[in-house]
Amino acid sequence: MNNLHIIGSEEWCVFENLGIPAIKARVDSGAKTSSIQATNIKIHTKGVQEWVKFEVNPLQENRSIAVTCEAQLIDRRMVKSSSGISEERLVVKTPVTLGKDTFDIELTLANRDTMEFRMLLGREAIMERYMVNPALSYQVQGFSDAEINKKYAPYFKEKTGLKIGLLASNPELYSNKRIIEAAEARGHEIVFLNVELAYMKLDAHSPEIRYRGGNILKEFDAVIPRIKPSVTFYGCALIRQFNNLGVYCQNSAEAITQSRDKLFASQLFSKNDIHIPITGFAKSPMDTKDLIKMVNGAPLIIKLLESTQGKGVVLAETNKAAESVINAFKSVNTNILVQEFIKEANGQDIRCFVVNGKVVASMQRQAQKGEFRANIHQGGKASMIKITSEEKKLALKAAKILNLAVAGVDIIRSNKGPLLLEVNSSPGLEGIENATGKDIANEMIMAIERKLKFSFT
């Protein structure tokens, strides 16, 4: 017993014959056989012997590195996984090196994609060789990040562009497809990340974002958030985490949160001398009559605070109708804004697309006949428009106050001059690209390049 080396609960293993320069292993005396993460497993024969070819992603943090391995197949075994499911696994035999010791071990080829470690070192391998102290780690040998990078240097792909994450919910949306096309056209790697499949590790020493199956999201230069309203809270938490990891987020969590809170945004606009239609907000139904009077009476607009794409926006044509709608919303504790109706706008508004302090495109939206909402999603028709310098200043100031690098700023023309309706932090590209013929997705990618001072050599 005195001759046994002490090892920790995690150790670095080297498999020279397999071509794996270093792989972290979880030491588990509860498991009989050691196992290694393997994909693309193919069995072939050499003479009378069966051999197996497989790929290993030895670094949990970098799935792009794959080592092709080959070893003689020595057995097929039924193995019960940690979740209690039995499955047949192929078994190979190969030398392993731990520090100064090299010896043969049996390895089952397993799918360990969801596991924290790409390898498990079982009791057959450590029996009569090592004593495990679970309070320790990397007792036999430790490799620094620099040493690991050097060992795996031949496997790293040469970086020709930026690595961008598109944080959204639906990869099939026009806007998301166009952003991916634009990034790839400019030589960047872009990865679609579903907001709801990402999760976080909050830790002072090693904060992380992981994605479906335990893959750590690392090495991103930038993230483009396209968060739908129903996942604002969680999406913004992810954006904050990316920011904490040093990743540039094209719109910050704070900016998105402010823009989504229509009441807070309206207060910011008022405070910063940005003209908006007269807006009222109240908690008690007892104040309904005065609220209506305050915004110059009917017809008036009633908006849900969480409304988007024109949904949750109602036009009340008489004071009585306005009272009924407001009181109905109040009875179910729904927060609403009441806003004056700008009749002279004739169902038209202007969408200005702002990217990094520049209006890159503008369109006019005309509501359908009998409809007051000009949103494209509500059947509004879009056309190109030349905006005035006053409208341009208003759009840029609104985006700046909310600190949005990318914003869809909606303006309405009134007898009092241009008024700000609202600011969208995930503006759609389809209507405005089709109406103006401009490549806005490309503008968004170029803005990231400029922000990160990236240039092709």
Side-chain angles (χ1 to χ4, degrees), residues 4 11 16 19 60 105 128 178 180 194 198 223-224 241 246 279 284 302 349 381 387 390 417 436:
L4 298 183
E11 291 294 345
E16 208 168 297
Q60 174 78 15
I105 65 165
E128 297 179 6
R178 283 287 300 113
I180 289 168
N194 189 319
V223 163
I224 301 171
Q241 187 81 341
T279 302
S284 167
I302 299 161
D349 72 10
K381 293 282 183 285
I387 58 170
E390 198 181 355
T436 63

Side-chain angles (χ1 to χ4, degrees), residues 62-250:
N62 191 338
R63 290 294 307 279
S64 64
I65 290 178
V67 179
T68 303
C69 308
E70 191 179 41
Q72 189 179 341
L73 181 64
I74 63 160
D75 200 4
R76 289 175 169 84
R77 288 184 201 149
M78 293 303 292
V79 175
K80 193 176 274 189
S81 70
S82 56
S83 55
I85 299 166
S86 293
E87 59 182 9
E88 187 185 70
R89 284 192 198 159
L90 304 181
V91 184
V92 299
K93 195 171 192 175
T94 188
V96 64
T97 301
L98 270 84
K100 295 176 182 173
D101 301 327
T102 301
F103 50 91
D104 284 347
I105 65 165
E106 291 184 356
L107 284 173
T108 64
L109 305 183
N111 180 356
R112 296 185 59 81
D113 269 359
T114 58
M115 306 295 181
E116 189 178 352
F117 287 81
R118 315 308 268 167
M119 182 187 161
L120 185 143
L121 196 63
R123 67 174 174 273
E124 276 186 344
I126 58 179
M127 213 159 41
E128 297 179 6
R129 289 191 179 96
Y130 303 104
M131 188 180 291
V132 183
N133 183 341
L136 302 174
S137 297
Y138 311 116
Q139 292 303 291
V140 178
Q141 63 189 351
F143 296 124
S144 67
D145 287 348
E147 287 172 313
I148 290 298
N149 287 340
K150 193 175 176 185
K151 285 176 184 290
Y152 281 100
Y155 297 94
F156 281 104
K157 291 175 187 169
E158 192 179 341
K159 197 170 179 184
T160 54
L162 298 170
K163 185 169 181 182
I164 301 169
L166 176 57
L167 191 64
S169 295
N170 182 359
E172 298 306 311
L173 280 185
Y174 174 94
S175 300
N176 295 335
K177 282 180 168 179
R178 283 287 300 113
I179 289 167
I180 289 168
E181 283 170 13
E184 287 174 346
R186 294 191 64 79
H188 306 305
E189 180 188 352
I190 184 160
V191 182
F192 183 87
L193 302 171
N194 189 319
V195 175
E196 291 164 79
L197 297 181
Y199 51 102
M200 294 163 274
K201 175 188 172 191
L202 307 176
D203 173 62
H205 299 293
S206 57
E208 289 173 350
I209 297 178
R210 297 194 176 202
Y211 194 70
R212 193 178 52 195
N215 300 320
I216 298 172
L217 298 181
K218 273 185 136 183
E219 297 170 356
F220 281 94
D221 298 295
V223 163
I224 301 171
R226 305 277 305 173
I227 310 294
K228 63 182 181 182
S230 60
V231 291
T232 300
F233 178 79
Y234 188 68
C236 285
L238 282 170
I239 295 163
R240 279 192 295 273
Q241 187 81 341
F242 272 116
N243 185 59
N244 291 346
L245 294 169
V247 179
Y248 168 64
C249 299
Q250 196 164 33

Side-chain angles (χ1 to χ4, degrees), residues 29-49:
S29 57
K32 184 183 175 188
T33 314
S34 302
S35 68
I36 195 165
Q37 179 270 346
T39 55
N40 298 328
I41 300 168
K42 291 182 177 69
I43 299 168
H44 60 281
T45 54
K46 283 187 183 181
V48 294
Q49 293 175 332

Side-chain angles (χ1 to χ4, degrees), residues 208-387:
E208 289 173 350
I209 297 178
R210 297 194 176 202
Y211 194 70
R212 193 178 52 195
N215 300 320
I216 298 172
L217 298 181
K218 273 185 136 183
E219 297 170 356
F220 281 94
D221 298 295
V223 163
I224 301 171
R226 305 277 305 173
I227 310 294
K228 63 182 181 182
S230 60
V231 291
T232 300
F233 178 79
Y234 188 68
C236 285
L238 282 170
I239 295 163
R240 279 192 295 273
Q241 187 81 341
F242 272 116
N243 185 59
N244 291 346
L245 294 169
V247 179
Y248 168 64
C249 299
Q250 196 164 33
N251 275 341
S252 70
E254 291 71 27
I256 293 168
T257 304
Q258 285 182 165
S259 71
R260 291 273 161 90
D261 184 339
K262 286 187 169 56
L263 177 62
F264 182 43
S266 296
Q267 288 174 315
L268 278 176
F269 299 144
S270 297
K271 181 184 173 187
N272 288 278
D273 198 31
I274 283 187
H275 295 234
I276 62 172
I278 299 167
T279 302
F281 180 77
K283 180 71 180 160
S284 167
M286 291 165 68
D287 302 312
T288 303
K289 279 188 170 65
D290 194 43
L291 195 64
I292 292 167
K293 199 167 144 191
M294 195 167 70
V295 299
N296 296 331
L300 55 81
I301 304 289
I302 299 161
K303 283 184 184 179
L304 291 179
L305 277 184
E306 294 81 23
S307 66
T308 180
Q309 296 176 350
K311 295 168 191 165
V313 181
V314 178
L315 171 65
E317 298 199 27
T318 65
N319 284 357
K320 198 164 183 61
E323 278 185 54
S324 299
V325 175
I326 293 167
N327 291 340
F329 278 134
K330 291 290 181 196
S331 69
V332 289
N333 288 323
T334 303
N335 286 320
I336 57 163
L337 288 177
V338 177
Q339 206 166 61
E340 72 171 320
F341 178 61
I342 308 300
K343 192 180 177 185
E344 61 269 24
N346 293 319
Q348 292 178 343
D349 72 10
I350 296 166
R351 160 63 61 90
C352 299
F353 206 106
V354 177
V355 179
N356 273 15
K358 185 182 166 195
V359 177
V360 296
S362 303
M363 67 173 171
Q364 180 172 275
R365 300 181 297 191
Q366 174 69 56
Q368 276 185 328
K369 196 171 181 183
E371 172 62 74
F372 69 97
R373 295 168 295 181
N375 305 68
I376 305 295
H377 289 86
Q378 301 302 326
K381 293 282 183 285
S383 58
M384 202 161 154
I385 188 175
K386 186 169 173 59
I387 58 170

